[in-house]
Amino acid sequence: MSSTAEDRRRREQRNVITSLFVAVLIGLAFQEMVGPVRESLHASGITLSTFLLFLIFFLTSVRFFIGNQLHLISEALLEMKGIVWFYDLFWIILQSMILIFLGGLSTVQANSDAQIGFVGLLMALCAVDVAWIGSQWVLGKGLDGWQRRRIPWAWAILNTLLIAGIVILLLCVDDVYSVVGLVWLGLLNVAAFAVDILLVNHHKLI
């Protein structure tokens, strides 16, 4: 088999693994979200708090799902060594696992007894993304063959700003799960979604 055919086969295999794995994990995250939201709707009907937490989860899941999926099948990554692709897949699986737990905390009631609530997991998700992007630069400096064409610093900056905005919000409100707290948290995440999808647009999807 020629090297070109071998490379093509390897890329196809990575694309299949990526599409299946990421889609299954994001599906599990939404499945985890359905249970608490359904119980909240049965108990209290449609409330603003439930809607806002669902909206934040939905926007966060969509922007991470699109970004991670497109990153894993990008030409720039597929041209690199398989270990680099696997390294990125590890971080994306970690992010997806956090999203699964985030989905299970998509109502105020679900957060009442949680040691680490929805907001804490949301900050952890953003922090993991920033750490991953930072590690891309560090490994590119220290290891041969790990240098990347482009490091998505815009994602790191966006998620760092989102963490900072959440920290400020936590300092300004007594209860982040109150309607006022969730309204501001929702606005922060709507802004992050808009900047990510419309302005950062790292993979030129739009």
Side-chain angles (χ1 to χ4, degrees):
M1 184 181 293
S2 68
S3 59
T4 301
E6 177 68 20
D7 289 342
R8 188 183 305 113
R9 182 188 62 82
R10 189 179 297 113
R11 292 184 184 188
E12 290 174 352
Q13 288 177 334
R14 291 181 187 176
N15 286 342
V16 170
I17 293 171
T18 296
S19 299
L20 179 62
F21 220 93
V22 175
V24 167
L25 290 175
I26 200 68
L28 287 173
F30 274 88
Q31 183 179 11
E32 283 294 307
M33 175 271 299
V34 168
V37 171
R38 182 174 55 223
E39 291 178 7
S40 178
L41 292 176
H42 286 169
S44 308
I46 300 175
T47 65
L48 182 57
S49 297
T50 299
F51 169 76
L52 288 169
L53 276 174
F54 167 77
L55 177 66
I56 295 166
F57 170 76
F58 177 79
L59 293 178
T60 302
S61 299
V62 168
R63 77 182 184 93
F64 272 85
F65 172 69
I66 292 175
N68 288 342
Q69 176 77 357
L70 292 178
H71 172 76
L72 284 174
I73 63 174
S74 64
E75 285 294 323
L77 181 61
L78 292 176
E79 289 173 358
M80 300 185 72
K81 295 188 296 187
I83 188 62
V84 180
W85 174 84
F86 187 79
Y87 176 80
D88 286 359
L89 179 63
F90 166 81
W91 282 95
I92 287 172
I93 290 173
L94 178 59
Q95 291 179 355
S96 299
M97 295 300 295
I98 296 174
L99 280 170
I100 291 172
F101 289 111
L102 195 68
L105 294 170
S106 295
T107 64
V108 173
Q109 295 90 330
N111 286 275
S112 58
D113 298 322
Q115 293 295 319
I116 302 177
F118 184 95
V119 174
L121 285 176
L122 180 60
M123 294 174 68
L125 176 64
C126 294
V128 165
D129 195 61
V130 172
W132 170 35
I133 293 169
S135 74
Q136 294 178 22
W137 179 80
V138 172
L139 292 173
K141 292 292 184 181
L143 296 177
D144 183 48
W146 286 69
Q147 295 80 15
R148 303 180 187 243
R149 289 187 195 171
R150 182 181 179 188
I151 296 176
W153 290 115
W155 280 348
I157 294 170
L158 175 60
N159 286 320
T160 299
L161 290 175
L162 182 56
I163 292 172
I166 294 174
V167 170
I168 293 171
L169 177 61
L170 291 171
L171 294 174
C172 292
V173 298
D174 295 328
D175 182 10
V176 72
Y177 298 107
S178 65
V179 173
V180 172
L182 290 176
V183 166
W184 280 107
L185 186 63
L187 290 174
L188 284 173
N189 281 272
V190 168
F193 180 84
V195 171
D196 192 348
I197 300 299
L198 299 178
L199 299 182
V200 174
N201 197 18
H202 180 71
H203 291 284
K204 309 302 179 184
L205 188 63
I206 297 177

